[in-house]
Structures are given as structure tokens and as C-alpha cells.
Amino acid sequence: MERRPVHHVSLLLVEDNPSDAELTLRVLGKHRLADRAYLVRDGAEALEFLFATGRYASRDARDTPRVIFLDLKLPKVGGLEVLRAVRSDPRTRMVPVIVLTSSREAQDIADSYRLGVNSYVVKPVDFGAFERTVVDLGRYWLRLNEPPD
């Protein structure tokens, strides 16, 4: 019998923009929505974190995040490739992935849903709207949503 993940990681934020990353983490902390949030700054680091390889080799890969906030336009490995890897591995297949990006490109939206994203959200440019969006996402995915066993 496979052990159920214990979710020591409540949120994995995959974001290369320092300002967006700082603001997202600050908002989640201010509203006490993600006490165990981790930030990775590119797609390669996200894959290392999720699958416990490279610099995260000592991490228990069974400790999957409750949710992943994923930017699409990332250095090294793009967000769609990260999403593809997450959905193709049985350890991470059921983890909710929320694309949080500045891209409004129809192809990015279609590809994200085709690869199994749970939600696609375009980052608001306005500070107040960005904060409300992060709060809404955090409340829903970390407080209200019931993940499968």
C-alpha cells in the first residue's frame, strides 16, 4: 500500500519574476493561507523539487504540494513542460496545478488545459487586483478544495 502524502509542502510557487514571487508569498503569508510555501525560480528547479533530484535529492518526493502555482514563461524548462511532467508521473498526477501567468495567448491556454491544468489565471497588472486574485486562489485551493486521498 502506498503511503498517502502528508503535505508538509502546502504550496509550490514556480515563478521567475522576483517582484511577482515576493508579492505572491507576502499576500499568502499576510492572509495565513500557505504556511509552508516554497519558491523555485525556473522549470528545472521545479522538476528537481517535485521529483526529489539534484539539489532536492534529500527531500521525500512523496511529500507532494497541496497545490502548485505555475508560471508558464520560465527559464531552463518552460511551464508547459513542467505541467506535462507533473501530469505524467503517478506521484504528482493528482496535485492541482494553477497556471498563474501574464500570457493571454490562446495557444498557451489551450495547451495548458490539454495537458491537464486545473485552472488558468492571468496575473492582473494592478497591485490590488493581483492581491485579491492571490487571496482568492489561496483560499479556494488551500482551504476549500478537498484533494483526493
Side-chain angles (χ1 to χ4, degrees):
M1 184 169 141
E2 188 175 335
R3 188 187 86 164
R4 181 179 180 194
V6 292
H7 298 299
H8 289 115
V9 178
S10 54
L11 175 118
L12 177 63
L13 175 61
V14 186
E15 175 61 69
D16 65 317
N17 181 307
S19 298
D20 288 351
E22 180 184 347
L23 180 57
T24 301
L25 293 174
R26 191 165 22 122
V27 167
L28 291 168
K30 174 182 167 184
H31 293 274
R32 299 179 197 176
L33 294 170
D35 56 342
R36 293 173 313 273
Y38 291 82
L39 170 65
V40 295
R41 298 195 180 271
D42 61 60
E45 186 180 359
L47 295 174
E48 287 180 0
F49 183 91
L50 289 164
F51 301 115
T53 61
R55 68 195 107 179
Y56 297 100
S58 62
R59 205 180 80 70
D60 184 350
R62 295 173 297 184
D63 180 17
T64 58
R66 283 186 51 102
V67 66
I68 299 168
F69 286 3
L70 176 66
D71 191 12
L72 286 187
K73 308 301 182 191
L74 297 167
K76 298 183 182 176
V77 176
L80 291 173
E81 290 305 311
V82 172
L83 178 58
R84 181 178 284 112
V86 167
R87 290 298 180 243
S88 67
D89 191 290
R91 295 171 294 179
T92 55
R93 182 173 292 137
M94 301 297 281
V95 175
V97 177
I98 312 317
V99 166
L100 185 57
T101 185
S102 57
S103 174
R104 292 183 180 275
E105 294 178 34
Q107 191 64 52
D108 285 341
I109 296 168
D111 289 345
S112 295
Y113 280 107
R114 182 179 49 78
L115 292 170
V117 76
N118 296 87
S119 187
Y120 191 103
V121 178
V122 177
K123 295 176 194 173
V125 177
D126 174 73
F127 171 79
F130 188 94
E131 181 174 16
R132 285 187 302 278
T133 297
V134 170
V135 168
D136 289 346
L137 290 171
R139 282 190 179 140
Y140 179 77
W141 290 104
L142 294 166
R143 303 283 181 202
L144 298 174
N145 184 59
E146 288 290 334
D149 288 340

